[in-house]
């Protein structure tokens, strides 16, 4: 319902998932689908089933059962009271887009890394004491935050959390919540990992899950008013969304990867997605028109992100080797 209402406000809530050879820019198969129907996990599942590709999906989270209702109530209060650790001040840009305009263009860029490049990033994340999600989120922040936001101790991202496992949800449905993460700037992947783990430990994803489900019970008319009022007054508090759709494997040729483009919206104007298919990591960025950038600018951000993650890897591994010695 939320994404249907966002579309009424002019947003474009559609994902795009494509099978593509690593060295090619032309997709072999593409699925474009609204976030109102499914989340990233669901879109990936639908693409693979439509193409008749046997696959193994990421394992469900192991934190079932759900927290107690008392803890979920506390988490709901936390998410309602939550404010970013540092105010977000975007770098001024000239744009003709204004809230309420129909979103028709979303500058984007994507890249499927080789199996060797991907393995280097996975190894670097382990050596840095961070998950792959935290390692990539660190690199993303260091690569794009300076170009998008004024200096601050932290920048806040929204990170989708797959609720399958604790919540009974079909693979091809909409089953993700969001947790805000205050990512330290100029720090380490381990520090970002700590910030993400703190958000999860506070059950902010459960708070957001229950907040949205309770809001939906108010009915479409009331929810429409609330969302419209939020758009009119809230502005942008988070830099965007970073989603790691996870590690997938399946029956395709060795040189095939999967690249996904997400759904940037006014409150989260940059959407970054990571997805691993048969050992090959794909990274993408898509920008909301409120940022006032073009494809070339977004491509530059993506290249900086990839370069940072690949350049940091050898340094982290070398440091780990020196420490072991």
């Amino acid at each position: 319902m939320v994404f249907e209402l966002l579309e009424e406000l002019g947003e474009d809530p559609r994902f795009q998932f494509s099978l593509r050879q690593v060295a090619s820019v032309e997709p072999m198969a593409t699925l474009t689908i609204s976030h109102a129907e499914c989340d990233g996990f669901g879109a990936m599942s639908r693409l693979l089933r439509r193409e008749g590709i046997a696959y193994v999906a990421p394992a469900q989270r192991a934190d079932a059962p759900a927290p107690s209702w008392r803890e979920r109530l506390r988490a709901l209060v936390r998410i309602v009271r939550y404010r970013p650790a540092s105010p977000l001040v975007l770098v001024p840009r000239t744009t003709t887009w204004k809230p309420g305009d129909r979103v028709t263009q979303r500058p984007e860029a994507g890249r499927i890394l080789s199996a060797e490049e991907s393995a280097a990033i996975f190894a670097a994340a382990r050596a840095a004491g961070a998950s792959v999600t935290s390692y990539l989120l660190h690199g993303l922040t260091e690569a794009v935050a300076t170009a998008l936001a004024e200096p601050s101790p932290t920048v806040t991202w929204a990170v989708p959390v797959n609720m399958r496992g604790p919540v009974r949800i079909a693979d091809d449905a909409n089953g993700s919540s969001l947790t805000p993460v205050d990512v330290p700037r100029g720090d380490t992947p381990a520090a970002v990992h700590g910030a993400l783990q703190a958000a999860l430990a506070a059950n902010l994803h459960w708070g957001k899950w229950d907040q949205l489900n309770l809001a939906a019970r108010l009915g479409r008319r009331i929810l429409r008013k609330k969302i419209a009022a939020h758009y009119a007054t809230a502005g942008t508090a988070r830099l965007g969304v970073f989603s790691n759709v996870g590690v997938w494997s399946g029956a395709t040729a060795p040189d095939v990867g999967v690249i996904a483009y997400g759904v940037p919206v006014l409150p989260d104007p940059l959407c970054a997605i990571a997805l691993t298919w048969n050992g090959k990591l794909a990274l993408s960025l898509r920008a909301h028109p409120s940022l006032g950038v073009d494809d070339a600018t977004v491509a530059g951000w993506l290249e900086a992100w990839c370069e940072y993650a690949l350049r940091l890897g050898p340094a982290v591994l070398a440091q780990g080797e020196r420490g072991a010695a």
Side-chain angles (χ1 to χ4, degrees), residues 235-259:
T236 302
R238 299 184 298 220
L239 202 54
V241 173
F242 171 62
S243 176
N244 187 348
V245 185
V247 178
W248 301 67
S249 61
T252 60
D255 64 340
V256 171
V258 181
I259 192 162

Side-chain angles (χ1 to χ4, degrees), residues 62-74:
D63 58 348
S68 68
W69 282 106
R70 180 173 295 180
E71 170 54 23
R72 288 175 68 171
L73 180 59
R74 293 192 188 102

Side-chain angles (χ1 to χ4, degrees), residues 31-280:
L31 174 70
T32 300
I33 191 168
S34 173
H35 206 329
E37 294 188 44
C38 60
D39 56 10
F41 189 103
M44 181 68 169
S45 300
R46 291 192 187 200
L47 171 65
L48 296 173
R49 283 207 298 272
R50 190 195 70 183
E51 297 301 313
I53 297 171
Y55 66 92
V56 177
Q60 294 180 336
R61 286 171 38 227
D63 58 348
S68 68
W69 282 106
R70 180 173 295 180
E71 170 54 23
R72 288 175 68 171
L73 180 59
R74 293 192 188 102
L76 177 60
V77 172
R78 291 183 200 117
I79 203 69
V80 170
R81 292 179 175 175
Y82 170 82
R83 298 295 181 273
S86 303
L88 177 66
V89 180
L90 293 176
V91 174
R93 281 189 172 83
T94 301
T95 176
T96 58
W97 185 90
K98 60 183 184 300
D101 288 349
R102 174 64 55 186
V103 172
T104 57
Q105 291 184 319
R106 295 178 293 180
E108 62 186 34
R111 176 179 167 185
I112 300 175
L113 280 67
S114 69
E116 292 74 20
E117 290 172 325
S118 303
I121 287 177
F122 303 152
R126 290 192 297 271
S131 65
V132 173
T133 297
S134 300
Y135 183 86
L136 291 173
L137 183 54
H138 167 75
L140 175 64
T141 301
E142 297 306 303
V144 307
T146 301
L148 280 170
E150 298 289 351
S152 60
T154 64
V155 64
T156 302
W157 292 91
V159 176
V161 178
N162 186 355
M163 302 299 284
R164 293 168 180 83
V167 180
R168 187 172 298 175
I169 301 164
D171 281 355
D172 61 353
N174 212 334
S176 294
S177 183
L178 287 176
T179 185
V181 182
D182 296 318
V183 175
R185 298 172 67 172
D187 212 308
T188 64
V192 177
H193 185 71
L196 177 56
Q197 291 303 307
L200 293 172
N203 285 315
L204 296 182
H205 55 302
W206 279 103
K208 178 57 69 175
W209 178 261
D210 289 327
Q211 182 188 39
L212 287 175
N213 279 282
L214 288 171
R217 293 179 181 274
L218 296 175
R220 195 180 193 91
R221 182 176 61 85
I222 294 176
L223 190 56
R224 180 185 290 111
K225 288 183 178 179
K226 287 184 174 294
I227 291 176
H230 177 74
Y231 260 56
T233 61
T236 302
R238 299 184 298 220
L239 202 54
V241 173
F242 171 62
S243 176
N244 187 348
V245 185
V247 178
W248 301 67
S249 61
T252 60
D255 64 340
V256 171
V258 181
I259 192 162
Y261 293 94
V263 180
V265 293
L266 179 60
D268 293 298
L270 187 66
C271 188
I273 290 186
L275 189 157
T276 303
W277 175 255
N278 286 342
K280 294 177 292 299

